């Protein structure tokens, strides 16, 4: 398009110059003729010059009109083409799902045909991580494209997201997109306390009476046909509480359920995991119906579909922790008109990368304050495996999750994850970490059987005080259960990772590194005190 416009301008300038040269030659020729007294040259142009002048004027007008028509047509066509090429955007985000629990990752315990379809017809990421393993800050980081520690009150659960931090739905709306969300958008917290008049995810299409899929259909009906859309589908699945026994009732065989090594392998825990998996399947069912709705509307092929979660499964040593089951996310992306299908990418990505990806795909400038990096070049590449060499690590962390310590203080920590290692820095090792987890049958079992020899090590693994540093060799310890921070064989590795983490945090302006880190503990908790704090205070005796 740009080349055609430049060509038209070049033709216009060239013709104008040639006409001008012709005019100059004629004028000079006429002026060199010896005029006779009373001739037309002394008063007006000669008949020949008058004819040529009129001819030149007609030629110039015709040339100008032709060029303007062509340019106007190209500009109009450019607008249309731009509208066609700008993709619709559908973000489907589950609530508390670890990466491993999807069929595309080889899990046999859960059926996720919609997620698997997106992965099969697009790109499956194996090393995607959230910025923080807690609902509010994770969603805030995704929406703003910034690391959670840069978002002030937005870094805490039950906080607020100050208006000064731009979010991608607002930027897309300004650029002409129709935006909306259903279910759980940015949450939980107080939207208005940050100066906003609506949820950062956009206008709400309420699902409570009609369901997520119908709410999405209502959104599509409200959209002008020539307008691209950006929609946030935020399911509440698989967040607790669960209907106890729902997984087994859905047909799952508890004997087939895989239990991670950091949890006790008992019928109670297997049943709890089955209930969790059942809700993932319900989320996937809704996603599948939305994809079919888009196909029926003829919009699926030009829709950038992204499926992920906000943090890990709501079990001890998963959600709210910096171990893989808390931070590592499922991620599949589909956009048939642009993304080569059937690829698996192992590069490290952060959910903060999604906001700049959406903006670049829509042709919208990416704000300089976004710390995430667009995935578009990686998505449109034909490569699999390692695609971009610099994506060899990722950094994440957490602050306060729930009112589980008195007085309203968090468990601040940061981590750097590479292919081989996980290094964690705990800024307040004198605080007990195990308060921050949702109640349920698995937590109950750990507490009730804490004194049993088979359970005691797992109980302490989650609830005991932790040192200021943790280091795990993922090649030998995939569940991150053997802390090697004091092992002399890993001293060099620990120092390198510590330095690398601090450098990244300092560059990103993390208050825990540059100063005033305790400010996170002063931010208001916009809800009444809840959680497991009163219930778990007796665990402080665990050493």
């Amino acid at each position: 398009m740009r080349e055609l416009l430049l060509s038209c301008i070049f033709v216009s300038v060239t013709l104008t110059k040639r006409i001008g040269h012709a005019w100059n030659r004629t004028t000079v020729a006429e002026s060199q003729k010896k005029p006779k007294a009373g001739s037309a040259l002394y008063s007006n142009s000669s008949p020949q010059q008058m004819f040529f002048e009129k001819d030149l004027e007609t030629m110039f007008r015709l040339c100008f009109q032709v060029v303007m028509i062509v340019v106007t047509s190209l500009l109009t066509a450019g607008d249309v083409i731009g509208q066609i090429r700008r993709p619709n955007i559908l973000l489907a985000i589950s609530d508390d799902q670890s990466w491993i629990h999807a069929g595309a990752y080889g899990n046999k315990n859960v059926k996720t045909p919609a997620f698997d379809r997106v992965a099969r017809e697009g790109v499956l990421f194996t090393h995607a991580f959230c910025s923080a393993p807690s609902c509010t800050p994770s969603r805030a980081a995704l929406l703003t494209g910034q690391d959670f520690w840069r978002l002030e009150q937005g870094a805490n659960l039950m906080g607020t997201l100050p208006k000064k931090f731009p979010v991608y739905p607002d930027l897309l709306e300004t650029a002409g997109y129709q935006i909306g969300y259903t279910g759980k958008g940015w949450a939980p917290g107080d939207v208005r306390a940050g100066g906003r008049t609506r949820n950062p995810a956009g206008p709400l299409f309420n699902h409570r009476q009609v369901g997520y899929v119908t709410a999405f259909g209502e959104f599509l009906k409200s959209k002008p046909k020539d307008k691209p859309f950006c929609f946030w589908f935020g399911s509440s699945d698989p967040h607790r509480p669960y209907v106890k026994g729902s997984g087994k009732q859905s047909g799952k065989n508890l004997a087939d359920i895989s239990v991670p090594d950091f949890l006790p392998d008992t019928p109670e825990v297997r049943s709890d995991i089955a209930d969790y998996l059942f809700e993932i399947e319900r989320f996937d069912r809704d996603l599948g119906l939305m994809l079919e709705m888009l196909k029926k509307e003829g919009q699926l092929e030009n829709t950038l579909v992204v499926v992920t979660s906000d943090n890990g499964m709501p079990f001890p040593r998963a959600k709210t922790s910096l171990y893989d089951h808390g931070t590592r996310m499922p991620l599949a992306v589909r956009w048939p008109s642009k993304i080569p299908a059937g690829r698996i990418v192992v590069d490290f990505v952060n959910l903060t990368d999604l906001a700049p990806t959406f903006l670049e795909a829509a042709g919208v400038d990416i704000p300089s304050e976004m710390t995430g990096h667009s995935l578009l070049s990686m998505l449109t590449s034909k490569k699999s495996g390692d695609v971009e060499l610099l994506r060899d690590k990722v950094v994440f962390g957490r602050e306060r999750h729930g009112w589980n310590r008195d007085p309203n203080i968090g468990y601040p920590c940061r981590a750097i994850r590479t292919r081989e290692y996980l290094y964690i820095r705990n800024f307040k090792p004198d605080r007990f970490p195990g308060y921050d987890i949702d109640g349920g049958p698995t937590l109950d079992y750990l507490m009730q059987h804490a004194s049993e020899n088979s359970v005691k090590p797992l109980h302490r693994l989650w609830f005991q005080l932790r040192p200021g540093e943790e280091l795990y060799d993922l090649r030998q310890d995939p569940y991150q259960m053997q802390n090697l921070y004091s092992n002399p064989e890993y001293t060099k590795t620990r120092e390198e990772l510590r330095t690398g983490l601090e450098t990244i945090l300092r560059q990103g302006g993390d208050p825990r590194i540059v100063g005033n880190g305790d400010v996170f503990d002063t931010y208001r908790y916009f809800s009444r005190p809840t959680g497991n704090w009163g219930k778990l205070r007796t665990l402080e005796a665990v050493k």
Side-chain angles (χ1 to χ4, degrees), residues 79 81 371 400 456-457 501:
D79 289 340
I81 292 173
T371 55
R400 187 191 67 211
K456 186 182 297 184
L501 174 62

Side-chain angles (χ1 to χ4, degrees), residues 478-518:
Y479 289 106
Q480 299 106 52
M481 298 173 67
Q482 300 295 325
N483 188 1
L484 302 172
Y485 87 102
S486 61
N487 188 324
E489 296 181 10
Y490 290 86
T491 299
K492 181 179 179 182
T493 298
R494 186 189 68 222
E495 295 299 323
E496 290 176 348
L497 291 171
R498 178 198 292 145
T499 301
L501 174 62
E502 290 187 0
T503 299
I504 294 172
L505 297 178
R506 190 175 300 279
Q507 292 174 344
D510 188 344
R512 291 291 176 187
I513 296 296
V514 302
N516 196 32
D518 289 340

Side-chain angles (χ1 to χ4, degrees), residues 317-362:
R317 209 171 169 81
K319 178 180 178 178
T320 76
S321 83
L322 301 190
Y323 312 115
D324 273 14
H325 276 71
T327 58
R328 194 171 173 183
M329 298 291 96
L331 180 63
V333 184
R334 179 190 189 273
W335 184 14
S337 61
K338 292 291 184 180
I339 298 176
R343 294 182 296 132
I344 298 177
V345 172
V346 301
D347 297 52
F348 283 85
V349 302
N350 194 300
L351 296 190
T352 56
D353 297 332
L354 294 182
T357 301
F358 296 154
L359 295 177
E360 184 180 7

Side-chain angles (χ1 to χ4, degrees), residues 291-502:
L291 296 179
E292 289 303 313
M293 186 179 295
L294 287 173
K295 182 178 180 180
K296 184 177 180 181
E297 295 286 333
Q299 300 190 63
L300 183 58
E301 296 308 294
N302 193 43
T303 297
L304 174 57
V305 178
V306 176
V307 191
T308 188
S309 189
D310 57 352
N311 51 250
M313 61 191 297
F315 288 74
R317 209 171 169 81
K319 178 180 178 178
T320 76
S321 83
L322 301 190
Y323 312 115
D324 273 14
H325 276 71
T327 58
R328 194 171 173 183
M329 298 291 96
L331 180 63
V333 184
R334 179 190 189 273
W335 184 14
S337 61
K338 292 291 184 180
I339 298 176
R343 294 182 296 132
I344 298 177
V345 172
V346 301
D347 297 52
F348 283 85
V349 302
N350 194 300
L351 296 190
T352 56
D353 297 332
L354 294 182
T357 301
F358 296 154
L359 295 177
E360 184 180 7
V364 178
D365 291 338
I366 300 172
S368 59
E369 59 263 42
M370 286 191 174
T371 55
H373 301 281
S374 174
L375 303 174
L376 200 60
S377 61
M378 186 187 305
L379 291 170
T380 55
S381 168
K382 296 181 180 180
K383 296 181 180 178
S384 296
D386 289 304
V387 179
E388 296 182 357
L389 295 180
L390 294 179
R391 289 185 175 272
D392 58 350
K393 57 185 169 297
V394 67
V395 172
F396 41 82
R398 58 154 292 187
E399 284 292 332
R400 187 191 67 211
H401 179 90
W403 191 306
N404 292 323
R405 295 172 190 84
D406 193 19
N408 188 27
I409 55 177
Y411 189 77
C413 46
R414 305 288 187 269
I416 184 169
R417 172 71 153 77
T418 67
R419 199 67 56 81
E420 295 85 13
Y421 299 102
L422 171 66
Y423 171 82
I424 300 174
R425 172 83 178 273
N426 297 312
F427 292 100
K428 302 291 183 180
D430 58 324
R431 299 178 185 178
F432 282 86
Y435 297 160
D436 295 325
I437 190 58
D438 300 7
T442 298
L443 177 62
D444 291 342
Y445 187 90
L446 276 171
M447 294 176 64
Q448 293 165 6
H449 299 266
S451 61
E452 298 178 8
N453 291 335
S454 61
V455 178
K456 186 182 297 184
L458 303 178
H459 178 273
R460 290 188 172 184
L461 198 62
W462 177 244
F463 292 110
Q464 70 181 358
L465 288 173
R466 297 171 190 165
E469 297 178 275
E470 299 176 61
L471 176 64
Y472 300 94
D473 187 337
L474 306 177
R475 296 165 297 184
Q476 304 175 26
D477 182 19
Y479 289 106
Q480 299 106 52
M481 298 173 67
Q482 300 295 325
N483 188 1
L484 302 172
Y485 87 102
S486 61
N487 188 324
E489 296 181 10
Y490 290 86
T491 299
K492 181 179 179 182
T493 298
R494 186 189 68 222
E495 295 299 323
E496 290 176 348
L497 291 171
R498 178 198 292 145
T499 301
L501 174 62
E502 290 187 0

Side-chain angles (χ1 to χ4, degrees), residues 7 202 263 265 351 513 536:
S7 297
L263 295 177
D265 189 352
L351 296 190
I513 296 296
L536 301 178

